[in-house]
Amino acid sequence: MESITVADLARKMNLKASELIAKLMGMGVMVTINGQIDSDTATILADEYNCTVNVVSLYDETVIETVADRPEDLLPRTPIVTIMGHVDHGKTKTLDAIRSADVVSKEAGGITQHIGAYQVTLPNGQQITFLDTPGHEAFSAMRERGASVTDIVVLVVSGTEGVMPQTREAIRQAQEAKAPIIVAVNKMDLQDASMEKIQQQLAEFELTPESWGGSTIFVPISALTGMGIDLLLESILLQAEVMELKTNPHCAAEGHVIEARIDPGRGIAATVLLSRGTLNVGDAFVAGIYHGKIRAMYNDKGQRIKSATPAQPVEITGFSEGTPKAGDPFQVTKDEAFARQIASKRQELHKMEGAKNIKKVSLANFMESI
Ligand code: GDP
Ligand code: MG
């Protein structure tokens, strides 16, 4: 239910707040000058003064309209992958092994920045973007904010230990997000590792290999020795090809915040993954409830760049206030004034949502509570 403070309503009606408070009291509503009244009460009250209340959802006012894509605007884009799995099954090691397969970072002297996501370029020039925050919390946090950033989930399962509680949780989350799962059966360098055992266990979750009539890709790997990593990357590209991932790279940029931090030298820095458009230095933007203007951009190799395209991990600076959260929507606006206006409305909405304890106290229960 929409609401307004007595002070704001009085201002809009060109009346003294004390006058409205007295009137409300006459209606059996006890409220202070900063108290909220709902739109129904405001309508009745306004009617007494021959005013009409127009209820506008603040949420609607915080939506930045985007232009729909024409089919000819759509071009293939790089897939975005999240690695999930039970603790100690080898997620971090797998991410490290994949990172070392990147031909571009090898050229750059192997220097990589941890900015929450990284892009791997294969020898044939094809690219894959990985979210660098393995685990379920990051995934859930994104999903909670309605962000479906991930195209494909790589489920790392230890070939010796098999399906464990967090494996099941990861499957549930990926399936809820409708992200296809590629199973990486890890630790295959160990004697007692068994691909067959994992396939049997996962059949229960409708993850069945092609050889058994299913459609799930299983890749035996060893994150320790690097065995199977190339095949895993090829399988990701194969899956991505089937999905025909496309986007418009030429419109105003939009995407999501992957992670944000306060950098001692640069201030607030956020890693952003664009879902469409091209982002340029100088662009005004809104990220969650905050706004800014791109001051500088860096890629996952720590190099300064002037523009970024969809699925390319990029760290941005230039926030005017406040640090956004993982999963927050990111959108470029036509100018800074508009970005500021949207951000301030979102902050207002955010405050109201955070003030669930605001109650309207009627005279009857006001008496009871004394
Ligand atoms: P995470 O908790 O899923 O991120 O797991 P880690 O990547 O931290 O790995 C957990 C442990 O398993 C570490 O001691 C790794 O060295 C070990 N490990 C990871 N991958 C392999 C592998 O392919 N083979 C073997 N033998 N050990 C592995
Ligand atoms: Mg780890």
Side-chain angles (χ1 to χ4, degrees):
M1 166 70 78
E2 290 77 14
S3 61
I4 186 168
T5 67
V6 174
D8 284 345
L9 185 63
R11 200 175 316 120
K12 284 187 207 289
M13 290 170 70
N14 221 352
L15 290 171
K16 281 206 171 106
S18 56
E19 157 105 36
L20 283 190
I21 291 170
K23 196 85 183 173
L24 280 161
M25 210 187 279
M27 289 162 62
V29 180
M30 300 290 286
V31 66
T32 63
I33 184 159
N34 291 316
Q36 302 264 353
I37 54 173
D38 61 45
S39 58
D40 285 351
T41 309
T43 304
I44 297 166
L45 192 62
D47 209 41
E48 299 268 318
Y49 297 91
N50 287 324
C51 292
T52 33
V53 166
N54 229 338
V55 179
V56 192
S57 155
L58 187 59
Y59 178 79
D60 289 345
E61 290 186 23
T62 66
V63 175
I64 304 169
E65 302 233 349
T66 57
V67 182
D69 298 322
R70 294 166 306 176
E72 62 264 37
D73 296 330
L74 300 176
L75 295 174
R77 70 159 172 84
T78 301
I80 302 169
V81 178
T82 299
I83 297 204
M84 296 172 92
H86 194 74
V87 65
D88 279 347
H89 280 203
K91 296 179 296 293
T92 303
K93 262 261 176 311
T94 302
L95 276 164
D96 289 346
I98 289 167
R99 200 192 283 271
S100 60
D102 181 21
V103 295
V104 175
S105 72
K106 272 182 201 140
E107 279 168 18
I111 305 156
T112 45
Q113 299 287 113
H114 285 265
I115 64 165
Y118 64 80
Q119 202 164 48
V120 170
T121 305
L122 304 183
N124 65 6
Q126 283 184 291
Q127 294 180 313
I128 307 171
T129 297
F130 287 89
L131 294 190
D132 200 5
T133 40
H136 313 260
E137 270 163 45
F139 197 82
S140 315
M142 300 253 189
R143 293 266 300 144
E144 250 166 51
R145 294 190 178 82
S148 55
V149 176
T150 300
D151 300 309
I152 298 166
V153 165
V154 168
L155 182 69
V156 174
V157 187
S158 160
T160 61
E161 286 181 75
V163 173
M164 300 290 272
Q166 287 166 294
T167 317
R168 285 192 278 273
E169 179 64 7
I171 296 169
R172 193 185 59 77
Q173 287 182 331
Q175 286 175 341
E176 259 177 34
K178 295 192 167 56
I181 296 172
I182 292 176
V183 183
V185 182
N186 191 30
K187 309 200 183 183
M188 289 306 285
D189 57 288
L190 297 176
Q191 276 289 302
D192 52 344
S194 161
M195 178 85 163
E196 177 113 328
K197 184 179 95 179
I198 309 304
Q199 288 176 331
Q200 266 162 11
Q201 290 181 341
L202 286 176
E204 203 185 302
F205 301 89
E206 284 162 33
L207 297 173
T208 334
E210 274 174 355
S211 52
W212 299 11
S215 60
T216 305
I217 304 174
F218 282 78
V219 188
I221 64 163
S222 167
L224 196 69
T225 66
M227 187 275 289
I229 296 296
D230 287 353
L231 187 60
L232 177 62
L233 296 173
E234 271 171 42
S235 305
I236 292 168
L237 288 172
L238 200 70
Q239 177 65 54
E241 212 176 290
V242 173
M243 294 168 84
E244 291 188 38
L245 304 168
K246 284 187 175 159
T247 192
N248 177 1
H250 301 302
C251 56
E254 59 185 275
H256 292 94
V257 173
I258 300 301
E259 105 181 2
R261 63 197 176 99
I262 298 172
D263 182 283
R266 293 183 290 178
I268 299 163
T271 299
V272 168
L273 268 183
L274 301 182
S275 52
R276 61 201 287 252
T278 299
L279 183 62
N280 296 298
V281 170
D283 281 351
F285 65 86
V286 180
I289 60 171
Y290 302 115
H291 76 284
K293 188 175 177 190
I294 308 281
R295 195 168 62 220
M297 290 200 279
Y298 305 85
N299 66 14
D300 57 347
K301 275 83 189 170
Q303 294 156 330
R304 247 181 123 132
I305 52 173
K306 288 204 170 69
S307 65
T309 53
Q312 177 186 4
V314 59
E315 193 170 50
I316 61 168
T317 64
F319 283 83
S320 63
E321 22 106 69
T323 313
K325 292 192 170 70
D328 274 347
F330 172 91
Q331 264 178 294
V332 162
T333 57
K334 60 180 192 296
D335 56 38
E336 227 181 333
F338 186 59
R340 188 181 308 118
Q341 188 190 332
I342 295 282
S344 88
K345 280 184 178 158
R346 285 186 184 176
Q347 282 170 26
E348 205 180 319
L349 189 69
H350 185 72
K351 259 186 236 146
M352 280 161 57
E353 281 172 350
K356 291 260 160 60
N357 54 349
I358 292 170
K359 270 192 225 119
K360 188 180 71 175
V361 185
S362 79
L363 197 57
N365 64 38
F366 184 68
M367 290 304 200
E368 274 165 22
S369 65
I370 291 174

